[in-house]
Amino acid sequence: MTTEHVKCLIIGSGPAGYTAAIYTSRANLSPVLYEGIQPGGQLTITTEVENFPGYPEGVTGPVLMDDLRKQAERFGADIRNGIVTKADLSQAPYHFIIDDEKEITADTVIISTGATAKYLGLEDEKKYAGMGVSACATCDGFFYRKKVVAVVGGGDTACEEAIYLAGLARQVYLVVRKPFLRASKIMQERVLNHPNIKVLFEHNAVGLYGTDGVEGMHVVKRLGEADEERYDVAIDGFFLAIGHQPNSAIFKPWVQTDETGYIITEGNTPRTGIPGVFAAGDVADPHYRQAITAAGSGCKAAIEAERYLSANGLL
Ligand code: NDP
């Protein structure tokens, strides 16, 4: 197995990872970035991005990520295809295995592996991906002005997304599998009192239909009960809000995580508590989950890495 030592290893290639690569390469840290399973991250599966500052006409997710990548490469960031399959953060320099075949040791590490939106697992979610199915209301809601949408989920995210969409769409159906909402009381009240939101309690979405995009969903009321009822609801957009899974599994033995797996950092910093190891972007952010906030935290992590190397005579 080949071994290589780097000053700064960046794991993940979303806005956080690429921004960290821009800053660390401009600081002469010769960063090496491994792109992971989904090069470019979650934004590569969205269509138009209209809320990333600097693009007055909007930009597609893949183009935005390509721009960030090119900007990092311009300053010498070494961006590689590969997946970090093992991590050992027990002592510095930290050890990693890439694709089960190469060893890397690193003085500083920026974990920016992101989070993955959960889907129901329906074939139709894949069939209509980018054609009416979305897991991000803030990203895609604007395209449903004056239209009819459904949001699946009963937690705080689903309620927040339903309220956000209700400000744009003509009608929002909130599809909740239980007879109650799991969300906080205040969010429940806002949803239940909103004139544009209709909550479909004890409903499961089991399929979608439409010719050139989503035109409706198949739902089942009281699935599996004697009075089970199946019917269709006409919608233009189908939003999933059933939670995200942060991609933190291989770091969990070493860094502190919350009950969902989000990496806990110190206060408003990307410090993990392990010297020289930082977490940026969605893997450490259960709250905002925006490209711009991820990019901001990638910048913070890069500055922290530079300061750590300098303070420890490792530059
Ligand atoms: P949650 O895990 O809290 O809620 C997920 C929701 O999706 C639940 O209603 C769950 O149903 C439903 N669900 C899960 N799987 C399925 C499925 N297969 N079919 C149908 N429904 C399903 O996730 P959130 O993303 O909402 O929230 C995550 C954390 O972030 C929470 O702690 C939340 O409080 C917090 N948060 C806080 C916010 C704030 O304070 N402003 C905003 C957003 C999130 P069931 O209840 O039946 O399990």
Coordinates of all heavy atoms in Angstrom, one line a residue, residues 16 33 55 64 79 98 103 108 116 119 146 170 183-184 195 214 248 250-251 258 263 266 269 287 289 303:
A16 N -18.6 23.4 0.9 CA -17.7 23.5 2.0 C -16.3 23.1 1.6 O -15.3 23.7 1.9 CB -18.2 22.7 3.2
L33 N -7.7 17.2 -1.9 CA -9.2 17.0 -1.7 C -9.6 15.7 -2.3 O -9.4 15.5 -3.5 CB -9.9 18.2 -2.2 CG -11.5 18.2 -2.1 CD1 -12.0 19.7 -2.0 CD2 -12.2 17.5 -3.2
Y55 N -24.5 35.3 -8.6 CA -25.0 34.8 -9.9 C -26.4 35.5 -10.1 O -27.4 34.9 -9.8 CB -25.2 33.3 -9.9 CG -23.9 32.5 -9.9 CD1 -23.3 32.1 -8.7 CD2 -23.3 32.2 -11.1 CE1 -22.1 31.4 -8.7 CE2 -22.1 31.5 -11.1 CZ -21.5 31.1 -9.9 OH -20.3 30.4 -9.9
L64 N -22.3 25.6 -10.9 CA -21.8 26.2 -9.7 C -20.7 25.4 -9.1 O -19.6 25.9 -8.8 CB -22.9 26.4 -8.7 CG -22.5 26.9 -7.3 CD1 -21.8 28.3 -7.4 CD2 -23.8 27.1 -6.4
I79 N -7.2 18.0 -6.5 CA -8.5 17.4 -6.4 C -8.5 16.1 -7.0 O -8.2 15.9 -8.2 CB -9.6 18.4 -7.0 CG1 -9.6 19.7 -6.2 CG2 -11.0 17.7 -7.0 CD1 -10.5 20.8 -6.8
I98 N -7.6 5.4 1.4 CA -8.4 5.9 0.3 C -8.7 4.6 -0.6 O -7.8 3.9 -1.0 CB -7.6 6.9 -0.6 CG1 -6.9 8.0 0.3 CG2 -8.5 7.5 -1.6 CD1 -7.8 8.8 1.1
E103 N -2.7 4.8 1.5 CA -2.7 5.4 2.8 C -2.3 6.9 2.7 O -1.3 7.2 2.0 CB -1.8 4.7 3.8 CG -1.9 5.2 5.2 CD -0.9 4.5 6.2 OE1 0.2 4.3 5.8 OE2 -1.3 4.3 7.3
T108 N -3.5 18.3 9.1 CA -4.8 18.9 9.4 C -5.9 18.2 8.5 O -5.5 17.8 7.3 CB -4.9 20.4 9.1 OG1 -4.6 20.7 7.8 CG2 -4.0 21.2 10.0
T116 N -27.0 13.5 3.4 CA -27.8 13.0 2.3 C -29.2 13.0 2.7 O -29.6 12.5 3.7 CB -27.3 11.5 2.0 OG1 -25.9 11.5 1.9 CG2 -28.0 10.9 0.8
Y119 N -34.9 9.7 1.2 CA -36.1 9.6 0.2 C -36.9 8.4 0.7 O -36.5 7.6 1.5 CB -35.5 9.3 -1.2 CG -35.0 10.6 -1.9 CD1 -33.8 11.1 -1.5 CD2 -35.8 11.3 -2.8 CE1 -33.3 12.3 -2.1 CE2 -35.3 12.5 -3.3 CZ -34.1 13.0 -3.0 OH -33.7 14.1 -3.6
K146 N -47.6 29.8 -7.3 CA -49.0 29.7 -7.7 C -49.4 28.3 -8.1 O -50.4 28.1 -8.7 CB -49.4 30.7 -8.9 CG -48.9 32.1 -8.6 CD -50.2 33.0 -8.4 CE -49.8 34.5 -8.3 NZ -49.0 34.8 -7.2
R170 N -49.9 27.9 -4.4 CA -51.3 28.2 -4.2 C -51.8 27.3 -3.1 O -52.7 27.6 -2.3 CB -52.0 27.9 -5.6 CG -53.5 28.0 -5.6 CD -53.9 28.3 -7.1 NE -53.3 27.3 -8.0 CZ -53.8 26.2 -8.4 NH1 -55.0 25.8 -7.9 NH2 -53.2 25.4 -9.2
A183 N -43.3 17.7 14.9 CA -42.6 19.0 15.0 C -43.0 19.7 16.3 O -43.9 19.4 17.0 CB -43.1 19.9 13.8
S184 N -42.2 20.8 16.6 CA -42.4 21.6 17.8 C -43.8 22.2 17.8 O -44.3 22.5 16.7 CB -41.3 22.6 17.9 OG -41.2 23.4 16.7
P195 N -53.7 29.1 6.0 CA -54.8 28.9 5.1 C -54.4 28.1 3.8 O -55.3 27.4 3.2 CB -55.3 30.3 4.7 CG -54.2 31.2 5.0 CD -53.4 30.5 6.2
V214 N -44.1 15.7 -12.8 CA -45.1 15.3 -11.8 C -46.4 16.0 -12.1 O -46.4 17.3 -12.2 CB -44.6 15.6 -10.4 CG1 -45.7 15.4 -9.4 CG2 -43.4 14.7 -10.0
S248 N -21.2 11.0 8.4 CA -20.1 11.1 9.4 C -19.7 9.7 10.0 O -18.9 9.7 10.9 CB -20.6 11.9 10.6 OG -21.8 11.3 11.2
I250 N -17.7 7.2 9.4 CA -16.3 6.7 9.6 C -15.5 7.6 10.6 O -14.5 7.2 11.1 CB -15.4 6.6 8.3 CG1 -15.3 8.0 7.6 CG2 -16.0 5.6 7.4 CD1 -14.2 8.0 6.5
F251 N -16.1 8.8 11.0 CA -15.4 9.6 11.9 C -16.0 9.5 13.3 O -15.4 10.0 14.3 CB -15.5 11.1 11.5 CG -15.1 11.3 10.1 CD1 -16.1 11.6 9.1 CD2 -13.8 11.2 9.7 CE1 -15.7 11.7 7.8 CE2 -13.4 11.4 8.4 CZ -14.4 11.6 7.4
D258 N -24.1 14.3 17.4 CA -25.4 14.3 18.1 C -26.1 13.0 17.8 O -25.5 12.2 17.1 CB -26.2 15.6 17.7 CG -26.7 15.6 16.3 OD1 -26.6 14.5 15.6 OD2 -27.3 16.6 15.9
I263 N -21.8 16.1 13.2 CA -20.6 16.4 14.0 C -20.8 17.7 14.9 O -21.2 18.7 14.3 CB -19.4 16.5 13.1 CG1 -19.1 15.2 12.4 CG2 -18.1 16.9 13.9 CD1 -18.0 15.2 11.4
E266 N -17.1 23.2 18.2 CA -17.0 24.1 19.4 C -17.6 25.4 19.0 O -17.1 26.1 18.2 CB -15.5 24.3 19.8 CG -14.9 23.0 20.4 CD -13.4 23.2 20.6 OE1 -12.8 24.3 20.4 OE2 -12.8 22.2 20.9
T269 N -17.4 27.7 15.8 CA -16.2 27.4 15.0 C -16.3 26.0 14.4 O -17.2 25.3 14.8 CB -15.0 27.4 15.9 OG1 -15.0 26.2 16.6 CG2 -15.0 28.6 16.9
H287 N -29.1 22.7 10.9 CA -30.0 23.8 10.9 C -30.2 24.6 9.6 O -31.3 24.8 9.1 CB -29.7 24.9 12.0 CG -29.8 24.3 13.4 ND1 -31.0 23.9 13.9 CD2 -28.8 24.0 14.3 CE1 -30.7 23.4 15.1 NE2 -29.5 23.4 15.4
R289 N -28.1 24.3 6.4 CA -28.0 23.4 5.2 C -28.1 24.1 3.9 O -28.7 23.6 2.9 CB -29.1 22.3 5.3 CG -28.9 21.4 6.5 CD -29.7 20.1 6.4 NE -31.1 20.4 6.3 CZ -32.0 20.0 7.3 NH1 -31.5 19.4 8.4 NH2 -33.2 20.3 7.2
I303 N -9.1 28.7 7.4 CA -8.4 29.6 8.2 C -7.9 29.0 9.5 O -6.8 29.2 9.9 CB -9.3 30.9 8.5 CG1 -9.5 31.6 7.2 CG2 -8.6 31.8 9.5 CD1 -10.5 32.8 7.2

